[in-house]
Amino acid sequence: MKPLYSIRMRAAQGGPHESGGHHISGAERIVTMDQVGTMVQSLADRALHHSKGVADFINITVDLVPTDSIRHIPVLDVEEHETSDVSDARLLAKKLLSKTEITSTSVDKGVSLLCGLSTSMRGAMLIDFVSGERLDEGQRGVRVSHMDTCSDLSMYNMNEHMREALVLASKVQSCEGIVGELCWSDDPDYTVGYVACNGVYHRLPHMKEMGSSIGGRIFFVKSGTDISKLIAYLESAPVLVEW
């Protein structure tokens, strides 16, 4: 097998994220050595031509991934839903999450946390699946990383937004202790969000108003889960999603 490299890009406006810069874009891929140069250029172009503005800080990291450390996981099933507006979409999201072990209290708190954001978080909030209490702190959240797909996506008729979201959701749902996920994008021109639970990626239109640049994600976590182990897997374990 050819050596594989993890390429991760994050971009901000007004300086680095750690210095208060406004998040513009983030993306990552796992590719073979001969694809590294092309992919680095592609991710840099993405950071410089984004609907949220032009980045003045771009960080691109390239790391060799030991092939024996890569975990191969199956992609989630996909279900497309129709919704009429934001209220309808968020109500459906609650109904889908209620079909899991997650309590209605936790679902309501999760939706309220996302709706109450004044600015987008860089990562996901972790909340207890029974009480709805946050298990992490601050604005950084948990940023899922080191993931990609080794499959040809041309047959699936999906855009880049959906491809990346489906890969991320598949890794998250493969993590021990996570019961479900709720997400909508911070891209102002992309209003589709999703719920992931019970092995299914539910794609929901109109999860936020067009033009809104505030988005985020919630991971619902089983009580008693080893949070440090959970975060280590989500942020650092290399994963390839297979169709």
Side-chain angles (χ1 to χ4, degrees):
M1 178 184 247
K2 292 183 179 180
L4 295 175
Y5 288 82
S6 170
I7 305 176
R8 302 181 304 284
M9 178 274 288
R10 61 190 181 104
Q13 193 175 69
H17 298 81
E18 296 80 2
S19 301
H22 173 63
H23 177 71
I24 293 294
S25 180
E28 61 181 87
R29 297 294 300 273
I30 296 176
V31 299
T32 57
M33 182 189 298
D34 57 319
Q35 297 173 309
V36 169
T38 301
M39 188 54 62
V40 167
Q41 182 64 58
S42 174
L43 294 182
D45 288 343
R46 176 170 171 171
L48 292 170
H49 303 90
H50 199 277
S51 59
K52 294 182 70 176
V54 178
D56 53 31
F57 169 83
I58 303 172
N59 179 279
I60 297 179
T61 305
V62 182
D63 295 307
L64 177 68
V65 181
T67 54
D68 59 358
S69 71
I70 297 175
R71 179 175 174 182
H72 295 257
I73 65 170
V75 70
L76 297 175
D77 292 334
V78 176
E79 288 190 13
E80 299 270 0
H81 297 268
E82 294 295 330
T83 60
S84 57
D85 54 28
V86 173
S87 177
D88 186 35
R90 294 181 182 177
L91 180 61
L92 177 56
K94 288 183 177 183
K95 288 180 178 178
L96 292 169
L97 289 167
S98 70
K99 296 178 181 179
T100 69
E101 303 170 82
I102 305 168
T103 66
S104 59
T105 297
S106 186
V107 170
D108 288 341
K109 285 189 176 181
V111 174
S112 294
L113 283 169
L114 285 188
C115 292
L117 289 173
S118 59
T119 184
S120 295
M121 293 179 60
R122 289 165 53 198
M125 289 182 273
L126 306 178
I127 71 171
D128 184 273
F129 82 139
V130 175
S131 68
E133 297 303 312
R134 273 194 72 173
L135 304 174
D136 65 306
E137 298 178 353
Q139 276 296 110
R140 181 185 182 275
V142 177
R143 188 160 183 84
V144 186
S145 186
H146 295 82
M147 63 206 164
D148 202 351
T149 174
C150 54
S151 301
D152 177 13
L153 305 184
S154 59
M155 69 187 75
Y156 296 101
N157 190 31
M158 64 177 71
N159 58 33
E160 193 68 7
H161 275 290
M162 182 176 174
R163 189 199 76 83
E164 292 180 352
L166 184 54
V167 168
L168 185 149
S170 296
K171 178 175 181 179
V172 171
Q173 292 304 298
S174 74
C175 181
E176 183 177 354
I178 289 184
V179 185
E181 177 185 356
L182 170 65
C183 173
W184 57 80
S185 173
D186 60 358
D187 283 1
D189 56 357
Y190 190 73
T191 65
V192 177
Y194 68 86
V195 164
C197 59
N198 295 329
V200 180
Y201 172 93
H202 298 274
R203 193 164 185 259
L204 308 174
H206 309 301
M207 282 292 282
K208 67 170 190 178
E209 298 291 350
M210 179 66 75
S212 170
S213 60
I214 298 177
R217 50 175 36 97
I218 295 280
F219 298 158
F220 296 91
V221 181
K222 286 185 178 180
S223 307
T225 296
D226 185 330
I227 298 301
S228 60
K229 183 178 178 181
L230 177 145
I231 292 175
Y233 175 77
L234 293 177
E235 294 192 337
S236 304
V239 165
L240 284 176
V241 177
E242 297 183 344
W243 265 252

